[in-house]
Amino acid sequence: ARPSSEHMEQTARRLDGKRRCTNRVCSSTNSAWEIREVSGKLALFCRGCARSLDQGKNCHFCKQIYRQRDSDGFDGFNWLECSECLQWTHVHCEMKAGFSAAHSLHAEFKANGEVMYLCPSCRGDADMDPLQETKSRNLQTLTLARLLQSRGLESLLPSLDSQSANLAVPGRRRQRTE
């Protein structure tokens, strides 16, 4: 539910003296301020950051805002762009959430300027049960492994366990184990 206009006005008065955008990497001190709710709290943003937030241009996990013109590492952290929806996500946030291939994917992105990466929303992780989430991660790891192997860079990827290596992949028969 959206906060009441009275609550927004009270928050605006309280934050009025602050005069700095809530986005920690924004240095804007202009007078065009907008209030947005982030993680259940009201915050003051410059117009540009508010627009980016409204467009969903923020890390899926920590909500750090980015603008399309920002370069990888603009906030001191590495990012990955989703191949499907073109949204960006912090590598370290993906790693904290258990997606261990994020670091290798970023290395591939830095080396070649492109990589097949799906964000949590496009992988469907946001609404998945743990078993589905594990299968999704395994599928993405296998996709990464194939890409790295095709480019002779398999040393960048940690070794796959036998369970991951035998995961059924669409369009490919499951390998038998003895």
Side-chain angles (χ1 to χ4, degrees):
R2 194 169 180 101
S4 70
S5 58
E6 182 180 323
H7 184 66
M8 301 253 310
E9 286 176 33
Q10 288 173 351
T11 301
R13 282 193 296 276
R14 181 173 49 82
L15 296 174
D16 194 39
K18 183 180 170 194
R19 293 288 184 215
R20 175 127 196 220
C21 183
T22 301
N23 181 1
R24 69 177 177 81
V25 295
C26 180
S27 57
S28 179
T29 56
N30 68 30
S31 59
W33 301 104
E34 297 187 24
I35 297 173
R36 295 292 184 276
E37 186 175 352
V38 178
S39 301
K41 296 179 181 177
L42 294 179
L44 191 66
F45 292 96
C46 69
R47 186 167 287 149
C49 287
R51 189 175 307 123
S52 291
L53 191 63
D54 292 345
Q55 294 170 351
K57 293 182 178 178
N58 54 272
C59 174
H60 178 80
F61 298 99
C62 72
K63 307 303 181 205
Q64 171 60 52
I65 298 167
Y66 65 86
R67 295 187 185 173
Q68 210 57 47
R69 70 175 185 261
D70 291 333
S71 61
D72 179 38
F74 75 95
D75 62 346
F77 298 103
N78 295 325
W79 292 74
L80 283 168
E81 182 181 31
C82 179
S83 302
E84 188 72 26
C85 69
L86 306 179
Q87 300 285 335
W88 290 79
T89 303
H90 278 128
V91 171
H92 73 276
C93 289
E94 277 280 28
M95 300 280 290
K96 282 182 189 176
F99 187 66
S100 59
H103 182 73
S104 298
L105 285 166
H106 187 264
E108 170 72 10
F109 170 71
K110 283 305 217 184
N112 298 313
E114 64 181 353
V115 70
M116 174 59 183
Y117 163 72
L118 296 178
C119 70
S121 296
C122 291
R123 288 193 310 262
D125 285 359
D127 300 323
M128 281 188 187
D129 65 41
L131 180 61
Q132 287 176 313
E133 191 169 336
T134 299
K135 287 181 180 177
S136 176
R137 271 198 212 114
N138 287 343
L139 182 59
Q140 183 130 6
T141 300
L142 287 171
T143 302
L144 171 65
R146 283 193 209 109
L147 179 66
L148 290 175
Q149 283 176 332
S150 72
R151 296 190 177 162
L153 300 169
E154 53 274 329
S155 63
L156 294 175
L157 187 66
S159 63
L160 299 175
D161 62 21
S162 60
Q163 217 176 16
S164 296
N166 292 317
L167 178 73
V169 177
R172 188 175 138 202
R173 288 189 177 197
R174 178 178 231 146
Q175 297 174 346
R176 290 186 180 201
T177 56
E178 296 181 11

